[in-house]
Amino acid sequence: MGRRRGTHDGQTNSIECFLDVVCNLIGVLLLMAIISALVVKEKVYDVFTPMEQSAGKSAHYLFAVTSEGIYPFEKNQAFKKLRSKNTSRTLAVETRYFHYTADRSRITCRMKGRSPGITGENIPSILNELRRLRKSNEEDDSYFVYFVVSPDEKAFRLFRLARRELLKNKIRVGWSPIDPEKTVSFVNCGIKILPQG
Amino acid sequence: MDRSSGFLPFMDVLTGLMGVIILINIILSLSMTGDEGVKVRVVPREEDIAWDQKKADPLFVICSENHILLHKTRIPIAEVRMQSFFHGEVRIAADKCGPNVYLLALIKPDGYKSFRYVRAAAKQLGLKLGYEPIDGNWEIVY
């Protein structure tokens, strides 16, 4: 960069030095902008996926994921309530997030409408609950959590976050997308889940 | 008149330029780190092999609302609905992939219905199926 030299004026000299600094700074900033733009543009993010999705029939714990949150099905609790009602008629019980109805062939559950204060579970609390359940379950390696996910961008992100945390904790995860307008049914005493649609 | 006063307007211009460059830098960084056009490579995790094969060859199928991308071939949903045609296309693409081929469906948020056709095709053709949710604006790198 060209600079004036040979002046005896101290004030002019100091301004020239300052100008040097400013010009160099601009150069560095330009360079940084170009490099960062190129690096970020070309960056390829890796997303790891299981090679084949396991079926939900052997899941120990089931969750529904919507854009609003993650909701445990609490099917064991629902089935217990249903079994306690010893009658052949169609039955209905409620858990925190779902309405369950049972007839002779299957148990169907439908998500409750949105209510104030009901926002689903957060990932740390789910993890804590699963760790607690896993401790009481001797078959640690086979512990398996299954998600039924609404086809929605927010729900997808929520599921991926939850799956990443569960996999870090060595908990097997499966999932299935489901049409949000359909219901989820359990057949064969709740062993198998059938996302309908 | 002092010579130094001649530099002051120049310095004004320079500092203004610096501000503009910093602004451009910030805007560029924000737009680049946003979700638009994010390049993503979907990598099957080999430790999750659920069948007795050491290595599998994924055939990527991207499920969108109006079409299916079978590897890089775009099939409109109207043609996907023609079962025999679609199954034929899947079979041809699968045969090119190798002996341990399996379908890896990448499901966009609006691609649930397309995914159902892919799932049916996998079942009909006896192919293994994996699936992964992806965002609508992801650009998949093969």
Side-chain angles (χ1 to χ4, degrees), chain A residues 47 49, chain B residues 40-44 56-63 68-73 86 90 93-94 97 101-107 118 129-132 134 140-142:
Chain A
V47 171
T49 179
Chain B
V40 172
R41 180 171 40 227
V42 180
V43 184
D57 306 309
L59 168 58
F60 289 96
V61 187
I62 301 176
C63 305
I68 281 176
L69 270 179
L70 190 60
H71 190 54
K72 289 171 184 171
T73 311
F86 180 58
V90 174
C97 274
V101 66
Y102 82 109
L103 294 185
L104 179 48
L106 306 178
I107 309 166
V118 175
L129 176 69
Y131 42 93
E132 178 69 19
I134 61 170
I140 302 299
V141 176
Y142 296 101

